[in-house]
Amino acid sequence: DADVTQTPRNRITKTGKRIMLECSQTKGHDRMYWYRQDPGLGLRLIYYSFDVKDINKGEISDGYSVSRQAQAKFSLSLESAIPNQTALYFCATSDPGQVGLETQYFGPGTRLLVL
Amino acid sequence: GEDVEQSLFLSVREGDSSVINCTYTDSSSTYLYWYKQEPGAGLQLLTYIFSNMDMKQDQRLTVLLNKKDKHLSLRIADTQTGDSAIYFCAENGPDSWGKLQFGAGTQVVVTP
């Protein structure tokens, strides 16, 4: 079974709709992240959480919100979807481990199309 | 934020060596990483190098780090069709504790 799962895997929605992408992990990691991937731009960080009570904005948080319901669950919401939010979205987790070494574990991604 | 730059595409013949290059700007980076993304999947850590090293070898993979020029490279020896993927360079430094800065990714296509 996958350690980091994302639902749904694919989603088509219309402009103005609210949608939620969900992420669950069984790795027992405190840190969780949401990224979006666009061709030619790589991965950009949307939000991250270092524990259940900690939520931080990444470089492109406008238009998004998150909820850390438990150590294992981190959800990303688009309050009012717009076409330029069409992208591949990844959830990731990490464990501090060796000081300074940042190994992140990624889910399989959610492909979102906003019409 | 800090920039990590990579070329976007590399074509290589099966059995040849692949070299993927990356430049970064954060001179305080503690570790530098190579992640691999296979089609339809998330990223997976391939290898990493600590900033006080200049080379790391792991089976078919060789990572070279030139701190003076802020240049990182990944060499894959005897490239196989299973090496076709997107390869991302990433860095983190003391000012970005717990976060990674990724490059745009290099798509490697291995041809028979």
Side-chain angles (χ1 to χ4, degrees), chain A residues 31 33 37 98 100 102 104, chain B residues 31 33 35 37 42 92 97-98:
Chain A
R31 299 183 194 174
Y33 308 80
Q37 182 181 16
Q98 184 177 336
E102 184 64 27
Q104 295 192 2
Chain B
Y31 286 91
Y33 308 80
Y35 278 78
Q37 182 183 24
N92 72 309
W97 182 77

Side-chain angles (χ1 to χ4, degrees), chain A residues 7 10 21 23 39 76 85 92 114:
Chain A
T7 55
N10 295 280
L21 309 183
C23 176
L76 176 72
Q85 292 178 311
V114 183

